[in-house]
Amino acid sequence: MKKTQLNPRFCLLAMATCLIWGCGTGVKKETPAASDKLYAAFEASQSPRDTLHFFLPENPSGRPVSDSLLKICLDSTQFEFLHFQTGDPHFWADKKYPLSDDVEACLLHTNEFWFKKQTLLLYHKTKRTFFSAIEVASFYGGDGGQIAVESWLFHTNGTPHLYVKNAEHWVTIKEEQEAPTEQVSETGNLLRWEAPAFKPRSTPDSTR
């Protein structure tokens, strides 16, 4: 049996690990002025307490942001997490949503050829720094297989929660078969805001 899919499957594991724990382990210079400029590019949400569905629109919304500004404001790990490393990413700053008195989640869009991603950049208002990056929506792949992510941000008893759904599609081919068989796998993660990060919570059925 031959299985044709994205290369390699550890990409999904790496994405999920960064999503749950956030990314921010590289080294960056303290540049509060640049961080203020990037933070100002995000528009405050008019309904911050509503349930938010993060998915990939046909065209991104928000203000274009240069990769040079992002490289100044983010550490190397965070910046690499924002794109697919094909060499031609484009970024847009969308809305920002309060998670606590000191922390806001800033939604950044990435388009890179036909690959797309949405990332929440966590910003500490007192320290004036972006300290973590969490993937909330993405599409990556081609004819042989695709990986897609979508998320919901909501509040329970005043506490932010994030539910993240991962879907993987690939094609299986057997020598005796004339047509390939399509396979789909779905998983989900429920996360709860426990400053300064979203942390995993149990869920009865993570595929729903």
Side-chain angles (χ1 to χ4, degrees):
M1 179 176 72
K2 179 181 179 182
K3 185 177 180 180
T4 305
Q5 62 176 73
L6 298 179
N7 63 313
R9 293 189 71 173
F10 67 75
C11 291
L12 180 60
L13 178 61
M15 289 163 56
T17 301
C18 280
L19 184 149
I20 292 173
W21 300 112
C23 291
T25 58
V27 177
K28 68 175 176 182
K29 299 178 181 178
E30 290 298 326
T31 52
S35 294
D36 290 347
K37 181 178 179 180
L38 177 58
Y39 174 71
F42 295 90
E43 181 182 350
S45 172
Q46 298 301 310
S47 357
R49 293 288 176 173
D50 289 352
T51 296
L52 304 171
H53 182 197
F54 299 115
F55 64 97
L56 298 174
E58 184 175 350
N59 296 306
S61 57
R63 302 176 184 177
V65 176
S66 68
D67 59 352
S68 58
L69 178 60
L70 289 167
K71 288 177 181 178
I72 295 173
C73 298
L74 307 178
D75 67 35
S76 56
T77 303
Q78 291 167 346
F79 181 75
E80 291 300 318
F81 183 65
L82 297 181
H83 60 94
F84 300 93
Q85 303 182 27
T86 68
D88 191 30
H90 299 274
F91 306 99
W92 291 263
D94 200 342
K95 298 288 193 299
K96 52 191 174 189
Y97 312 96
L99 298 178
S100 66
D101 291 339
D102 291 327
V103 177
E104 288 198 283
C106 303
L107 181 63
L108 186 80
H109 298 264
T110 303
N111 276 19
E112 197 166 342
F113 298 106
W114 59 87
F115 304 150
K116 297 182 179 183
K117 179 181 286 196
Q118 289 182 347
T119 307
L120 290 180
L121 298 178
L122 302 191
Y123 179 78
H124 198 289
K125 293 187 291 183
T126 303
K127 298 179 180 179
R128 297 166 63 193
T129 184
F130 290 90
F131 64 91
S132 187
I134 305 172
E135 180 184 295
V136 290
S138 67
F139 175 83
Y140 175 82
D143 293 338
Q146 305 86 34
I147 294 172
V149 176
E150 61 180 325
S151 304
W152 291 261
L153 179 65
F154 58 96
H155 291 76
T156 300
N157 297 324
T159 301
H161 288 69
L162 189 65
Y163 180 73
V164 185
K165 183 177 180 179
N166 300 271
E168 184 179 4
H169 167 264
W170 68 93
V171 176
T172 300
I173 301 176
K174 294 183 179 180
E175 294 182 359
E176 63 273 16
Q177 288 182 324
E178 295 184 0
T181 301
E182 295 191 19
Q183 305 285 339
V184 176
S185 173
E186 293 185 352
T187 59
N189 291 291
L190 178 63
L191 312 173
R192 178 181 175 179
W193 177 249
E194 297 179 14
F198 280 101
K199 297 185 179 180
R201 304 288 290 179
S202 60
T203 177
D205 186 350
S206 62
T207 62
R208 288 187 177 181

